[in-house]
Amino acid sequence: MAEQELREFDVTDEQRELRAALHRFAERQHDEATLRRLVDTTDGFDRALWARLGTELGALSLAVPEDLGGAGGTCVDQAVAAEELGAALVTGPLLGTVALAVPALVAAPAGDGRDALLAALADGSRTAALVARLTTPYDGASAAGVTADGDRLTGTVEHVPDAGAADVLVVAAAGPEGPVLAVVDPGADGVRVQRCGSFDVTRPVGRVVLDGVTGTVLATGADADGALRHAFRTAGALLAAEQAGIARRLLDLTVAYAKERLQFGRPIGSFQAVKHRCADMLVAVEQARTAALHAAWAVDDPRVDDADLAVSIAQATCSETAYRVAADAVQLHGGIGFTWEHVAHLYYKRAVADAALLGSAEAHRERIAVLVLDTLGDDVREPRVATG
Amino acid sequence: MSSPTTTRPASDAARVAQAAREVVEAHDPLSVPREELFGALYDAGLAWVHHPEGLGGLGLSRGLQPVVDQIVTDAGGERMFAVNPIGYGMGAPTVVEYGPDRDQVGAWLRPMATGEEIWCQLFSEPGAGSDVAGLATSAVRDGDEWVVNGQKVWTTLAHVARWGMLVARTDPEQPKHRGLTYFVIDMTQPGVDVRPLRQMTGQAEFNEVHLHDARVLDAHRLGEVGAGWKVAITTLMNERTAIGGVTGRRGSGVIGEALGLWRAHPDRHTPVLRDRLAALWTRAETHRLTLARARRTASAGQPGPEGSVSKLVGAELNQDVYEFCMDLLGPDALLYDDWTMDRGRVHTDPNSTVQQRFLRSRANTIEGGTSEVMRNILGERVLGLPGEPRSDSDRPWKEVPRG
């Protein structure tokens, strides 16, 4: 293949339009009142709105190939969408369906079952969850939460995002000959999906119990491993982008408040104690956006960087940033920031939950330490952007 | 959606790279004097690619300069910035924007680019640090010249400088920002007394400059009389860009030193130190990538807030990394007794010790604007938060309390 120029961090016109369209959608169709109403419903989201996200806005199918009804986009395109949807705290099974199940299916071997399922997930007519151990970084072995004996699946997996609302369960299992990726109907005999009370009220998690259930096997061995690895990497990059979006929105809200809230006869934003904290939030937000975008670029193109390293940099950075900025936003809003009626706590809880999913900041720092510090030479590849 | 790897048509970057390679081939950095190589780069418009043609540039995006720097350093040459940092990074943009006429500006720029004429920056004073506009050094008009009296401090490279960028008070009756005028002063004349200023490392990297009836030509004034603050802002914004804007390779620079130290002392590894270093490495890498992103997205021309962000982050990161290095050395960090006063060495000297660099890093959050002032700038100019109440804005400078 001819050497192609890498333009990391260039933003395309299409990405700008996508961001603007999603911003308008969130403002008009998914305002705070809507969000509060939806989190009290059984599913936690609005299926009609979800379908519009798929068909009208194309936000669910960005990474699905065009011949399967998708937009054939990149992980960077998805990261742009994830940042904007995160900024508005849009509810619905985005993490389960778009960030986890779709990438797993895209990277799995083609087949009628897989292709039809991808098309249905892309247009929003169905939703999915990836049933795997999603609280640690992917290492090839620990992700499988259930065992597979042929196509019969048995085991219990905790903390599965969006499990309760999923029309389809994509299951990572450990078989006698290595990993297995299978699809299970949540309504089948022997399947129990228990909705758990969730710390993050905008994104439910569930417990999935499979008791000798028959699944449709999509991939085994190296194929299944590759699909799961791609799913974890993509989801890691997109979750980081969502965290960056949350942090950015909280900074905007806080700055606006600091300009209008008067104490001691002047806006609180004129006090250095407040101003400096806002400046630190700004710095953190910019670094988080960088790290998230870099991870998405590395997922798209192996020449950019080692994808696992880039995702760990992003997750370690963005988890801490979203968490810290959310705490600062509550603090700088003063008493109102601690109330149920203010939106800050919804973001704060999402930030806390996001930091626990796909590996904590500490877990990702551990992976960075293994990749960077425990090697003898300087064999951690130089990202191509550095010379740009 | 377009692919991120789309091939672009032959770009300005390719043109610049081609020109730089030609200069480097004709003037091998390893065999010709530095002045010859840098002079050839200036004449080819590669010293500052964003400058106008004929003034060391090609009228292209500032973001393309790293293409040149990379080719020069890959061939074994020095970075032009490193040879004459104050002149190259801060003097050049200021004289190009406010210089008296093209001939004079060109006469300053070429020896600045080659390193034959070092520049220094006469801003800070004992009574005016972060509050630069409060400065007291006076310039009084005398025909075609001005007579300068006062004292400057923290003047890097003043002991070898040919030219100084001087901000002086020309009207004490005006509020402080309006009574200033900006000059380029000859540092080799009588009445300019440069004295070493010893710092906590034991070295004398900076100077005090005492000005006693020193003279400066009115023809060497930048901008209008009384408009010196506006000119100074150009220098100051570029100072932040210059201090914080250097992007090295992954794992290079200060974090690279820490990694080297870590690998050299396996007996001192602990899980706690390993976690600290992993966190520092992640911060350094994110900072490095953010600089690259800012460079990609910045429009050509004036430096933006990225300079202030990067200056703030880089300064605090440096301190944290050197604190880590000292902790890694443990009690051995105490074994140090070389407090020789040395004017020649700077903290980037490869022979300097971890202890010296650790001490030197304390200055990072002070020099070029304290971190407190940087946070004010980010809060007010980037986020649009209201300014501090202040008592000096509308009062004549001579009535404002100082000290």
Side-chain angles (χ1 to χ4, degrees), chain A residues 9 237 240 286-296 310-311 313-315 317-318, chain B residues 286 289-290 293:
Chain A
F9 299 126
E286 286 307 309
Q287 312 250 24
R289 295 182 79 183
T290 298
L293 281 171
H294 179 68
V311 166
I313 292 169
Q315 280 283 287
T317 302
C318 296
Chain B
T286 310
L289 291 166
T290 300
R293 178 164 75 94

Side-chain angles (χ1 to χ4, degrees), chain A residues 4-10 12 14 18 62 71 73-74 77 251 255 258-259 266-267 269-272 275-276 278-280 282-283 286-287 289-291 293-294 297 300-301 303 305 309 313 316-317 365-366 368-370 372-378 380-383 385-388, chain B residues 1-9 11 13 63 66-67 70 247-251 259 262-263 269 273-275 277-283 285-293 295-297 309 312-313 316 371-380 382-389:
Chain A
Q4 288 179 311
E5 195 180 356
L6 285 173
R7 307 278 300 181
E8 189 180 3
F9 299 126
D10 276 0
T12 66
E14 289 93 335
L18 175 67
L62 288 168
T74 63
D77 298 330
L251 171 63
V255 167
K259 287 178 187 173
R266 54 182 169 122
S270 68
F271 292 98
Q272 282 195 339
K275 188 178 294 174
H276 287 191
C278 289
D280 286 338
L282 168 71
V283 169
E286 286 307 309
Q287 312 250 24
R289 295 182 79 183
T290 298
L293 281 171
H294 179 68
W297 274 82
D300 278 334
D301 189 334
R303 294 176 303 165
D305 201 357
L309 179 59
I313 292 169
T317 302
R365 278 211 304 277
E366 174 60 30
I368 291 167
V370 169
V372 178
L373 305 185
D374 299 351
T375 54
L376 286 176
D378 285 311
V380 180
R381 267 192 320 115
E382 168 81 359
V385 66
T387 56
Chain B
M1 291 291 162
S2 66
S3 155
T5 55
T6 308
T7 306
R8 301 292 173 95
S11 57
V67 175
Q70 194 71 47
T247 321
R249 301 172 71 82
R250 168 175 280 175
L259 282 174
W262 173 259
R263 287 173 182 146
H269 291 188
L273 283 171
R274 182 169 168 275
D275 181 53
L277 183 53
L280 287 167
W281 186 90
T282 306
R283 277 171 62 195
E285 181 63 10
T286 310
H287 175 47
R288 201 179 69 83
L289 291 166
T290 300
L291 286 177
R293 178 164 75 94
R295 208 166 271 160
R296 266 289 190 230
T297 52
V309 172
L312 175 66
V313 174
E316 297 187 347
S371 292
E372 288 69 26
V373 166
M374 289 294 130
R375 286 185 167 89
N376 275 4
I377 289 173
L378 294 180
E380 293 172 19
V382 181
L383 296 176
L385 291 168
E388 300 264 324

Side-chain angles (χ1 to χ4, degrees), chain A residues 49-61 121-124:
Chain A
L49 274 182
W50 182 259
R52 285 191 57 201
L53 262 182
T55 51
E56 200 177 304
L57 292 154
L60 306 180
S61 67
L121 297 179
D123 67 18

Side-chain angles (χ1 to χ4, degrees), chain B residues 198-216:
Chain B
R198 200 170 185 203
Q199 63 215 47
M200 67 158 81
T201 59
Q203 300 167 332
E205 193 187 331
F206 306 100
N207 301 276
E208 296 177 327
V209 178
H210 295 258
L211 299 151
H212 182 68
D213 288 340
R215 316 220 30 123
V216 59

